[in-house]
Amino acid sequence: MKTLLTHRLSQSEIMQLCALTQGEHNNHLKEELYQLTLDDDRRVAVNALWTFTHFAAADNVWLFAKHDQLIDRCLKEQDTTKLRLILSILLRQPFEKETVRTDFIDFCLARFTDARAPYAIRALCIKLAYEQMKYWSELLNELRQMLDLISNEPLSPGLRSAWRQVIKKIKA
């Protein structure tokens, strides 16, 4: 499988990889693909992560068991492309009240308020912060205050959209 990931992938190649790993009977291939997200070859790792962002909902459930590992990787990841892809994968996962990690909440809050962080990472962190904080009204108030802080800075259309989506959810 690694040889499939060593070059720039087209959308159809991504879909072929998703089909190859589809279904419970191919969980061993999902695990192989997941291990390739840790590969020393950046292109291989990025392509493997990119493939996971295109998984169908039924196959995406397999990644739920990797939830804490993915969060740990976010906390350490220096490569912005890998970080963006891992955050995208996490956004497709449930965050349960009993298992929310305060270190990841802090990470998301710090990243979305960092004007030097890439817009896509900031937007994903806004959404992920909400998904984790939505269970507690006092944390939602804190999130609202932090969103108010960034509302005065120039925001990209994508970041402004994420901001609006979360503000709307907080008010609901």
Side-chain angles (χ1 to χ4, degrees):
M1 185 178 303
K2 183 174 180 173
T3 56
L4 298 171
L5 301 172
T6 58
H7 66 281
R8 184 181 174 105
L9 296 179
S10 67
Q11 190 67 23
S12 67
E13 289 171 314
I14 291 284
M15 293 299 112
Q16 288 172 1
L17 283 166
C18 288
L20 176 70
T21 58
Q22 185 176 339
E24 284 186 26
H25 61 284
N26 284 322
N27 282 352
H28 66 286
L29 293 174
K30 289 180 189 75
E31 183 61 40
E32 183 180 337
L33 184 64
Y34 183 79
Q35 291 308 313
L36 289 171
T37 70
L38 303 165
D39 200 88
D40 290 336
D41 181 333
R42 181 183 182 275
R43 178 165 312 259
V44 169
V46 167
N47 282 340
L49 286 166
W50 192 36
T51 302
F52 278 118
T53 67
H54 289 81
F55 264 31
D59 291 308
N60 189 54
V61 171
W62 180 87
L63 280 166
F64 293 0
K66 307 288 187 189
H67 188 82
D68 279 331
Q69 290 175 21
L70 290 166
I71 289 173
D72 290 340
R73 289 177 65 184
C74 282
L75 299 177
K76 296 182 284 189
E77 188 58 62
Q78 298 299 310
D79 184 297
T80 56
T81 302
K82 290 179 188 178
L83 177 59
R84 178 180 49 81
L85 291 168
I86 296 168
L87 291 170
S88 296
I89 292 167
L90 283 168
L91 192 56
R92 296 181 68 199
Q93 296 194 352
F95 284 84
E96 304 297 332
K97 183 177 182 178
E98 302 77 31
T99 59
V100 168
R101 290 179 45 179
T102 56
D103 58 342
F104 191 53
I105 291 174
D106 292 342
F107 171 87
C108 290
L109 295 176
R111 284 297 173 110
F112 88 68
T113 57
D114 181 359
R116 297 166 301 179
Y119 288 133
I121 289 174
R122 293 179 72 191
L124 288 164
C125 284
I126 287 173
K127 293 176 181 182
L128 285 164
Y130 172 78
E131 290 303 319
Q132 297 172 85
M133 300 169 86
K134 66 185 177 185
Y135 301 106
W136 300 278
S137 60
E138 61 276 6
L139 290 182
L140 281 179
N141 288 335
E142 179 182 343
L143 178 59
R144 174 64 191 255
Q145 291 170 2
M146 295 187 84
L147 289 169
D148 287 345
L149 286 174
I150 68 163
S151 67
N152 296 324
E153 67 181 78
L155 303 176
S156 72
L159 189 52
R160 176 69 62 193
S161 175
W163 183 90
R164 277 192 205 113
Q165 288 173 21
V166 170
I167 288 292
K168 188 176 182 178
K169 288 178 181 181
I170 291 173
K171 289 180 178 179

